[in-house]
Structures are given as structure tokens and as C-alpha cells.
Amino acid sequence: MRDRTFRSASAAVTGLAAAAAAIGVGEAVAAFTGPGTAPVYAVGSAAIDLTPTPLKEYAIRTFGTDDKPVLLGGIHLTMALLAVLAGLLALHRPVLGAAVPVLFGGVGVRAALSRPGATLVDAAPAVAAGVAGACTLFLLARLLRAATAPPTADTRTDAADHPGSPATTSHGGEPAHQPAGVTGRRTLLVATSGTIAFAASTGFGGRALSDSRNDIVAVRAAVRLPPPTTPLPPLPAAVHPAVPGLSSFTTPNSDFYRVDTALTLPRIDPRHWALRIHGMVDHPLLLTFDDLLHLPLEELDHTLSCVSNEVGGHYVGTTRWLGASLPALLRRAGVKPGADQLVGRSQDGMTIGTPLESVLDGRRALLAVAMNGEVLPVAHGFPCRTVVPGFYGYTSATKWLVDLNVTTFAAYDPYWVRRGWDRRGEVRTASRIEVPAPFARVPAGDVTVAGTAWATHRGIAAVELRVDGGPWQTAQPAADAGPDLWRQWTHTWSGATPGTHRIEVRAADASGAVQTEQRAAPYPAGATGWHSTVVTVT
Ligand SMILES: Nc1nc2c(c(=O)[nH]1)N[C@H]1C(S)=C(S)[C@@H](COP(=O)(O)O)O[C@H]1N2
Ligand SMILES: [Mo]
């Protein structure tokens, strides 16, 4: 019995060791083919693209920015379970067991080749991983069988281990045969720990090599940006009421929300970057990063928000972008009549379509290279992204931009539109209460309420509050910094009485249209409904 447990446990361990060796070898090869081609990442990226929209929405809602670690954890867990099964299978049928890593390698190959812009070389890490996993498992399984082979007449030495089956051997109990099993177990132990050490060194070594081969941090730090040709004055202090707990007017880069499908961040060396502007234009353009920096650079203060933001949510931020004028470049390329959609494509294959007439209607839209005076952070699109005020990120803000296609809505559906999201993606009016915090306890009397509202590119005209469904009261809007920016506001709720109260907020955009009370989920065109917060007055 103890032997059987040992055999099974050892089989599980050999399965896990072989899987680790496979992942390690995959990482080592991926150091040369790109971090996104490592099998686990390739499978994860393919999974993101294949995930049905409701599940994706659920993941963003439930795990927020942690959705990627959760996905990677799930893939590793699935692999671990399969590895244990493969180990057990290999114990009896080594060839069948070894087929499991081969199958998994096959899934990795498919995933790697499904990535946008993939070439055959991108499949190399998954091929190497599958072969390494299969060979390792086959060899370890053989060692395990040798070490724990069911006792034959020659090796059955220890009847005490088999209380139900008395020894029937003529050599029974002869200790001279003991060392054979011990040696076998020792060989197995050495081989298994050797495999694990090998897996760790190729895995971590491969990652480290990959990081040093693609040292985007150093490349980015070396970028020198010219100053803006037309600098904006600093924002007036009056845009931000000095209420403790209210978010800052400008969002620090480190706090700026991040939403994208990139499991490994694209690492683009600006020295090798070029942007193609083509499609329905008279003169297609190809711009290097140097060309871009030699264009007049302008600044844009702008509030970017995500269509997946829930009512009261935090997928929204305000920043000062720096970049070249997108409309000016499109005019230089000469947009042909009939074109109505501008599709940006990122290095990792994301496509984002913006209504062309909006880009060209006089609003400021940028090929941005910096935010808040800092070269674009890698997570926010280094070296270049688009920004077009008035639209959610998924229809206007392509990070890691490499291609702009002037086309039509009839001819092309971008990534999210193919998944059922609204093809225009204009920002809906939104407002949220930030102070008091939800479920805060505040003293009776005059209570300061404060928050933020935005209707990007239309602007906010008014904000109203009510308590416990009472009459709407007008809040005090802070200074208006322009329609492309959110607007903060404060309100004094006078005479708050002890008990639990609900405060509700709604805003009107510059056209006078008031936010609808009707609750709608973010899918397919952005959340609607009034934000409310419950507080206890003491
Ligand atoms: N390449 C690429 N660009 C992208 C996305 C993406 O997944 N890939 N997501 C878009 C979405 S949905 C949003 S809301 C914004 C978010 O930009 P941020 O991460 O800089 O805040 O980027 C947009 N640009
Ligand atoms: Mo988004």
C-alpha cells in the first residue's frame, strides 16, 4: 500500500517536473523570439481574444486590473492538473503519458500562430516546450518504473510491506537485493531534482535574458522629447476644490487606470518604430519616431475613460498629453471622399476605430508621445498612441500604435465592434460622489459632499444632488477647464440629521441633457444611471 502511494506520488511529481521543464525551455527559447511567444503567454493571449464578451466583462468587473494575474494563475493551475494526470498515465503507458506535453505544445503552437503578425518562428518556444516536456516525462517515467517495479520473484524482499500476500519466493528476505530498489529510487530522486533545477534555471534565466534583450526601460529612459510648440498654461488652481478625499484634478501617471488585452506589454524600440498612414488617402505616409518628434508638438488636457467603467467607477483619469496633431497629418495625407472611419492598429494587433468626421471637426486630437510631462509609460502605449477627446478608449486611444488606416465603417469592424460593442463609442455623461466615502460616518449638521463629473468633449454644465429622494439641489461646480476635461464639484448638505441617508448625484452636459436614471450595464455602449452613496450621520 505504501509502495503504491509512493509510486503515485512520485508519478505526480515527475509529471509536474516535466511540465516545469517544458515551461522553462519555452521561456528560454522565447528570449529569442519575443516574450509574448512563451507558450503560457501565447495561450493566455489567445484565451483573452476567444473569451466571450460577458465573461470578459465579468473578469474586468470582478478582478479589475488583476484580471491578467488571475488568468495566468488559471492557466498554470490547469497545466499542473494535466501534468499530474500525465505523470500517472506515464507510469503505466510512458508513450501515452508523453503525448500529453506534446498535445499541450500543440495548443501552444496554435495559440502562438494565432497572434496578430505571427510568423512560423513564433511557434518555436511551444515546439521546444512540447518536445522537452515529452522527453523528460518519458525518461522520468522509465526511471520511476525501474525504481518501483512491482516485486518479481527476484526482488520481493520485504514481506512486511505486503501483509496480505505472504512471500512465496525461494530467495525471500535476502537482503542482498535491497540495494537495487534503493539505487533506483536514488537515481529517480537525482533525475527529478535535476529536472526541477533545470526548469528553474531555464525558466528564470530565460525571462532574465528576455528582459535584458528587450530592455525597454533603458530605451525609454533615453528618449528626449522636444518641448511643445504651443505650450498650455498650467491649469488654474480653482479647478480643484480643496476637499480632503477628493481625487486630484490631474491623475498622476502611476495612478492612471490601465485597460488593455496585452498579457505581456509590447516592447517597442522607437528607433525601429514607424507609423504607416494609408488607406483612402492621396499620399500614404510613413513616419519614424524622429519624424514625429520633428513635427510641431502640442499639449492637450483631457479626461480619458473606459466604456467598461461602472457607475461610480475608477476607469477614468485626467492627464496632459503631448503629441503631434492627428488632424494635421491626416490633412497632409489627403483624406479621400467617402472615408468615414479611422482605424488605429497596435503592434499587438488591437484595432480601434474612430469616426473620421469627429477627428477632422476641429477638435484637438493627438498622436501622443507623453503624458504629464513624462515619456508615455510602456503600459500606456510607449512610444505612441492616439487620443481623440469625446470617445471611450476603445474607440479612440490606440496604445502601441503602428498603423492608421483611413477606411469606412462599412468596410471594417475593429476588435471590440466585432464583439458587439457600439461602433461609435461616444462618452456618456457621468458623475460620481467621492466625499463622503461610501458607508462613512459623519457628524450631524453641515456635511461637505464632493465629487467629479464628465461628459468628455461636450463639457459639464451643472451637477445636482438630492438626499433620500428629496428635491434636487444644485451643487457648486469648480472652475471649468474646458469641455475635454472632467469637472469637480462640491455641495454643502446642511442640517444632516442622525440616521442612514442616501445621497444621489446627476449631471447635465453643456447641451443641457441630464443623465438618465435608467440603469444600463457598460455593454454595449457605456453604463448609465445615477451614482449614489449611503452614509450614516451620527
Ligand atoms: N493596443 C491597445 N490599445 C488600447 C487598448 C488595448 O487593449 N490595446 N484598450 C483600449 C481601452 S478599452 C482603453 S479604455 C484605453 C485605456 O488606456 P490606458 O490603459 O492608458 O488608461 O486604451 C485603449 N487602447
Ligand atoms: Mo476601455
Side-chain angles (χ1 to χ4, degrees):
M1 193 61 209
R2 246 170 51 213
D3 258 11
R4 269 181 58 189
T5 313
F6 172 78
R7 271 162 69 87
S8 305
S10 306
V13 172
T14 54
L16 288 170
I23 294 179
V25 167
E27 288 286 344
V29 177
F32 300 93
T33 52
T37 62
V40 174
Y41 285 85
V43 169
S45 302
I48 290 176
D49 289 351
L50 294 175
T51 304
T53 296
L55 187 58
K56 212 177 277 186
E57 275 297 279
Y58 169 81
I60 291 177
R61 208 166 49 236
T62 313
F63 305 118
T65 312
D66 291 334
D67 55 349
K68 295 181 182 77
V70 168
L71 173 67
L72 288 176
I75 292 174
H76 280 113
L77 196 67
T78 309
M79 286 184 65
L81 289 174
L82 282 175
V84 167
L85 291 178
L88 291 170
L89 189 59
L91 187 55
H92 303 287
R93 314 285 295 273
V95 174
L96 268 191
V100 175
V102 171
L103 273 182
F104 207 81
V107 172
V109 167
R110 271 227 54 182
L113 294 181
S114 77
R115 306 315 305 141
T119 61
L120 268 185
V121 176
D122 293 338
V127 170
V131 171
C135 294
T136 316
L137 185 57
F138 186 77
L139 290 176
L140 289 181
R142 282 189 56 163
L143 292 177
L144 175 59
R145 279 152 67 99
T148 64
T152 63
D154 278 345
T155 56
R156 176 166 295 184
T157 56
D158 189 2
D161 259 7
H162 308 270
S165 56
T168 54
T169 160
S170 52
H171 306 292
E174 196 170 301
H177 290 285
Q178 188 103 11
V182 172
T183 312
R185 289 187 182 196
R186 193 169 296 145
T187 311
L188 176 67
L189 182 68
V190 169
T192 309
S193 24
T195 302
I196 292 169
F198 169 78
S201 55
T202 47
F204 294 113
R207 266 287 126 165
L209 179 61
S210 163
D211 287 347
S212 69
R213 281 176 54 91
N214 307 277
D215 190 358
I216 203 65
V217 176
V219 171
R220 178 175 168 269
V223 171
R224 294 282 163 271
L225 293 177
T229 319
T230 43
L232 287 180
L235 286 164
V239 296
H240 176 67
V243 175
L246 182 62
S247 53
S248 57
F249 189 86
T250 299
T251 314
N253 288 356
S254 54
D255 294 347
F256 206 92
Y257 81 95
R258 175 188 162 202
V259 170
D260 54 58
T261 58
L263 209 45
T264 49
L265 289 175
R267 308 176 194 201
I268 304 175
D269 188 330
R271 289 167 298 191
H272 308 137
W273 177 89
L275 172 66
R276 201 158 78 100
I277 303 180
H278 63 110
M280 299 171 70
V281 293
D282 298 326
H283 325 283
L285 300 174
L286 190 68
L287 287 176
T288 65
F289 196 61
D290 217 41
D291 295 337
L292 187 65
L293 296 191
H294 279 91
L295 294 170
L297 297 186
E298 38 184 83
E299 290 181 312
L300 167 69
D301 289 330
H302 164 242
T303 298
L304 178 64
S305 60
C306 180
V307 68
S308 293
N309 198 33
E310 301 277 351
V311 170
H314 288 267
Y315 288 162
V316 55
T318 291
T319 197
R320 175 165 287 188
W321 307 100
L322 171 76
S325 164
L326 178 56
L329 271 170
L330 289 175
R331 292 218 166 77
R332 200 169 111 194
V335 172
K336 289 194 167 141
D340 60 8
Q341 183 179 218
L342 178 65
V343 176
R345 179 183 293 273
S346 73
Q347 194 232 30
D348 64 336
M350 170 57 61
T351 50
I352 284 179
T354 318
L356 194 55
E357 92 274 3
S358 303
V359 181
L360 296 173
D361 72 358
R363 77 186 72 196
R364 200 174 271 201
L366 296 184
L367 294 174
V369 293
M371 62 195 284
N372 288 334
E374 191 195 326
V375 173
L376 271 190
V378 177
H380 296 291
F382 177 75
C384 178
R385 79 180 303 173
T386 49
V387 184
V388 184
F391 298 89
Y392 290 121
Y394 84 104
T395 51
S396 68
T398 318
K399 306 195 273 189
W400 314 294
L401 179 77
V402 294
D403 186 292
L404 280 171
N405 185 11
V406 177
T407 179
T408 62
F409 280 107
Y412 189 77
D413 284 341
Y415 186 94
W416 293 108
V417 175
R418 259 177 272 149
R419 288 161 176 77
W421 293 80
D422 182 54
R423 57 158 54 155
R424 285 190 65 87
E426 272 160 301
V427 175
R428 289 178 148 166
T429 307
S431 55
R432 73 177 181 213
I433 299 164
E434 296 172 27
V435 181
F439 307 110
R441 303 175 73 81
V442 293
D446 287 356
V447 175
T448 300
V449 185
T452 308
W454 60 94
T456 315
H457 198 59
R458 297 188 301 283
I460 291 291
V463 176
E464 295 176 310
L465 291 165
R466 68 177 183 183
V467 178
D468 299 331
W472 287 100
Q473 302 167 46
T474 307
Q476 178 82 50
D480 191 356
D484 295 338
L485 289 156
W486 61 17
R487 197 158 179 194
Q488 299 197 296
W489 51 266
T490 56
H491 177 70
T492 303
W493 168 24
S494 45
T497 53
T500 300
H501 301 280
R502 173 185 295 275
I503 315 170
E504 286 171 291
V505 65
R506 66 179 189 188
D509 69 12
S511 77
V514 178
Q515 270 181 272
T516 170
E517 180 178 12
Q518 188 95 43
R519 275 270 172 176
Y523 183 80
T528 62
W530 297 333
H531 185 227
S532 68
T533 204
V534 172
V535 296
T536 302
V537 175
T538 54

